[in-house]
Amino acid sequence: MTLSRFALSALLLCPHAHAQTILGFSGASAARQTAVETKFKSIPSPDEEQRQHKIFTAEPHTAGSKRNNELADYIAGEWRKQGLEDVVLRRYDVYGTNPKSASLEMIAPTHYKALLREAPIAADSDSKNPAISSAWLGMSISGEVTAPIVYAHSGNSEDYDLLRKNGISVKGKIVLVRYSNPYSYRGFKALTAQREGAAAILIYSDPAEDGYKQGKVVPEGPWGPEYHIQRGAITYDFMVPGDPQTPGWASVPGAKRIPIEEAVSAPKIMALPLSWHDAKPLLENMDGPVAPETWQGGLPIEYHLGGERVRVHLKIEMDNGLQPYYVVEGRIRGAELPDEWIVLGNHRDAWVFGGVDPSSGTASMMEVTRALGQLTKQGMRPRRTIVVCSWDGEEIGLTGSTEWGEQFADELRAKAVAYINVDEATSGPNFEGQAVASLAPMLVETSRTLQDPSGKSLYDAWKESSARLRREAHIEAEVTDANLSDTRIGSGSDHTVFLNFVGMPVLGLGFVGDYGVYHSAYDDFFWMNHFGDPGYRYHTLTSQLWGVTALRLANADLLPFDFAAYASNVRQFVEELSKANEKNMWEQPPSAVQPGEARQPQLDLKPVLDAINTFEAAGHDLNEAVSRKLAAGQLDPKLAANINHGMMQVERNWLNPDGIPGRPWFKHILYGARFTYAHLELPGLTEAVEKQDWPTARQQAEILQHALEKNTKLLNELNSTLTP
Ligand SMILES: [Zn+2]
């Protein structure tokens, strides 16, 4: 429902002119909810956020490590003390990927042995911790090779085309690529190098992207210093996330496992990350043509394409034994509707200390659970159940959340209202709110009730920073309530299984800023206290927002989904697809059409657009009917349950059990991700259109049309029960 319409009707009927109105709440419930939220917001404190953050960032805690498992026990213990119920550890036995050793040596034209380590910084005591790992990438294969090295810019497909034009093959060679410019997920770079026949890939952090060319570096500023190494995994989780040996089912102990050779998400190439300190000697000794202007980086050298002169010896040894990962699960059981769940999650595992990623989110989660526990003890138990999870192995391939989601998929499809993810809570002051389009209006509404540390409402601060960031990115669209939330959801965090496999609406919350130490040892307590969030005010705000959003979903009389907003988003997706592929969408170019003859489309999207229009109309009708019902006050519990279950079903109906072509695990027909992790709307349809595979495109369009019709029918049934 639109806020203005609902606010107006509620104001007209409500005797107290200033009474709070909230999407999904009757007047009386909104007043109760406001009291609950006021209490909730008063609990998270900057001091507690910092105290928790210090605990989580005290030691390196990679997936499955002893320290990460100790933290799982710590979380479970804290949650029990805080008052959470049914706290359990879920164990998954997954394909392990831990570094045993790695070495890289230039053997010609001169000798250089790469450090593969990050130098300690005097001001930052954590940077001296001997437990900090050396350079490694999760899911690299073990091996040893001596070969020439080629500079392949970002390692995207078009970069190899340019190398080919220059007569340079990478077959059997080692490619050196940068992390960004343009950004693509490192796993995509690895797959591209593997397909090109390279023997190994080295991925380094160029100062142009996250170092001194951006601004001051650690310890003077937030950007990456000379020695920082961006670790990470190269799992092909854009094909299927989670344990590569259990695609589509949970890795519970004893589960069936496929051989690793058959696992599509397991890379078959050696890979290692480098600091620019280690990359520079390689780059400055390379021969071959001078790299194009756009390939030149931030180092004070001329970048060449290489290919002959520089030879390196690379050796990587990994331990791939089966390894347990632990998901910590707790809940506050719903007082009235215990079988309707709001699920909250954050991953626990970090590449090193995880100052931003993920321990800022973990600290925020601990304050959410403390506040929820206190509310419950004071008699303000939520109506629905709130489930909270601490994931393991997100960094390896979204593993913990994927296995958990696969294990409980049926139960989640029956009970789950939504999933709210917080990965990195804070790397700066700019709010980024992500939501499936049906929940975007409620997220915007919730932001109005919170205060940003700047003194403005979070809503105003969000609008201002969005406008600024859009100007900087030369995006013309003006910021409005309708486009404030980011409704283009790709992959890259733990929401993936819930959206793309289970069919749950998802939200993602976090604050971002200048951050050049991602996945390095310098992403730590020192960094957070000096640059990311000194004073922990944005951590606190994250906890408040996360909790209030969860409580609105948990306590609403009628769930605050806006399907008219969903329809208008889907229309935008279809229109953008048509526009981007206009040239190819027709059988003949306009010049080939005889006068009086109609052009024949390869793909006619009119039936889809018609189906969107009727879905939108049904969504509008439902918004109005819900609004009227809530304004009238009295709600029959059986009727409310019927409406809410119907609304929960809408997201499930966007799933195609066969998945998108070539990637059966990804079942959502509106949301997907490209191999680069970039968001990909209407994934099955879009990929078919881009390939000009018209039979598949027509089939995917039909699937979309049928899903829209199914959901229109569902909404109309709900409307008829609300408006007899
Ligand atoms: Zn993360």
Side-chain angles (χ1 to χ4, degrees), residues 511-676:
F511 291 84
V512 300
D514 291 347
Y515 174 44
V517 297
Y518 173 67
H519 289 186
S520 81
Y522 308 113
D523 181 12
D524 64 0
F525 189 73
F526 173 89
W527 192 93
M528 187 57 75
N529 282 270
H530 286 82
F531 312 114
D533 188 19
Y536 287 78
R537 298 171 305 167
Y538 289 95
H539 280 75
T540 308
L541 179 54
T542 302
S543 299
Q544 292 170 330
L545 175 64
W546 200 356
V548 170
T549 308
L551 286 166
R552 288 192 175 191
L553 290 165
N555 292 336
D557 296 309
L558 296 174
L559 293 167
F561 290 113
D562 183 338
F563 299 114
Y566 218 150
S568 119
N569 256 256
V570 178
R571 180 184 299 113
Q572 208 181 334
F573 298 165
V574 172
E575 284 171 353
E576 284 171 3
L577 172 71
S578 303
K579 206 169 156 211
N581 296 279
E582 204 179 350
K583 267 212 313 270
N584 298 327
M585 295 278 260
W586 302 90
E587 280 178 15
Q588 323 100 309
S591 57
V593 181
Q594 301 300 318
E597 205 180 88
R599 274 171 95 197
Q600 290 303 310
Q602 295 280 15
L603 172 68
D604 185 3
L605 289 170
K606 174 119 190 341
V608 169
L609 288 164
D610 288 346
I612 291 170
N613 291 341
T614 48
F615 176 58
E616 186 176 40
H620 272 303
D621 288 349
L622 184 63
N623 285 351
E624 280 178 26
V626 163
S627 184
R628 269 198 308 273
K629 201 80 194 164
L630 290 171
Q634 288 300 317
L635 252 181
D636 170 46
K638 250 173 87 183
L639 174 73
N642 183 34
I643 301 293
N644 288 330
H645 284 142
M647 290 202 276
M648 284 158 67
Q649 186 58 39
V650 171
E651 199 71 36
R652 316 304 183 241
N653 287 346
W654 301 130
L655 295 187
N656 174 11
D658 296 336
I660 60 179
R663 293 191 276 169
W665 189 91
F666 287 87
K667 300 184 188 302
H668 207 290
I669 60 173
L670 304 182
Y671 294 109
R674 294 189 186 272
F675 285 22
T676 56

Side-chain angles (χ1 to χ4, degrees), residues 347 349 356-358 394-395 423-424 492-494 518-519:
H347 72 88
D349 61 305
V356 171
D357 181 10
E394 187 271 354
E395 296 290 2
D423 186 326
E424 303 168 6
S493 195
D494 290 306
Y518 173 67
H519 289 186

Side-chain angles (χ1 to χ4, degrees), residues 313-477:
H313 175 239
L314 171 68
K315 188 174 178 195
I316 296 173
E317 264 190 288
M318 303 291 288
D319 177 355
N320 296 121
L322 219 59
Q323 183 175 29
Y325 283 1
Y326 294 95
V327 169
V328 193
E329 179 194 311
R331 70 187 61 204
I332 301 279
R333 282 186 226 118
E336 296 167 38
L337 303 162
D339 286 335
E340 292 178 18
W341 296 358
I342 321 301
V343 185
L344 278 49
N346 157 266
H347 72 88
R348 184 177 70 253
D349 61 305
W351 283 103
V352 190
F353 302 103
V356 171
D357 181 10
S359 302
S360 62
T362 317
S364 294
M365 178 181 69
M366 297 310 283
E367 280 296 87
V368 169
T369 49
R370 185 170 71 89
L372 286 175
Q374 279 198 23
L375 285 192
T376 304
K377 283 175 195 161
Q378 292 172 25
M380 286 181 262
R381 182 180 285 275
R383 295 181 67 223
R384 298 182 177 83
T385 294
I386 297 179
V387 178
V388 191
C389 290
S390 164
W391 312 119
D392 199 352
E394 187 271 354
E395 296 290 2
I396 302 299
L398 316 177
T399 306
S401 57
T402 300
E403 301 310 318
W404 191 86
E406 288 172 343
Q407 184 177 2
F408 299 107
D410 289 341
E411 194 171 5
L412 288 165
R413 287 185 190 128
K415 297 180 179 174
V417 173
Y419 172 69
I420 314 176
N421 193 55
V422 174
D423 186 326
E424 303 168 6
T426 311
S427 63
N430 306 314
F431 180 59
E432 275 188 354
Q434 211 173 42
V436 293
S438 56
L439 287 177
M442 79 84 68
L443 181 58
V444 171
E445 186 199 47
T446 307
S447 73
R448 291 175 184 272
T449 63
L450 290 147
Q451 207 191 4
D452 186 79
S454 63
K456 300 174 193 118
S457 71
L458 173 60
Y459 168 78
D460 285 333
W462 185 11
K463 261 187 131 165
E464 278 172 32
S465 65
S466 296
R468 182 164 39 79
L469 294 172
R470 281 182 206 189
R471 269 197 309 277
E472 285 167 17
H474 306 288
I475 296 168
E476 285 190 7

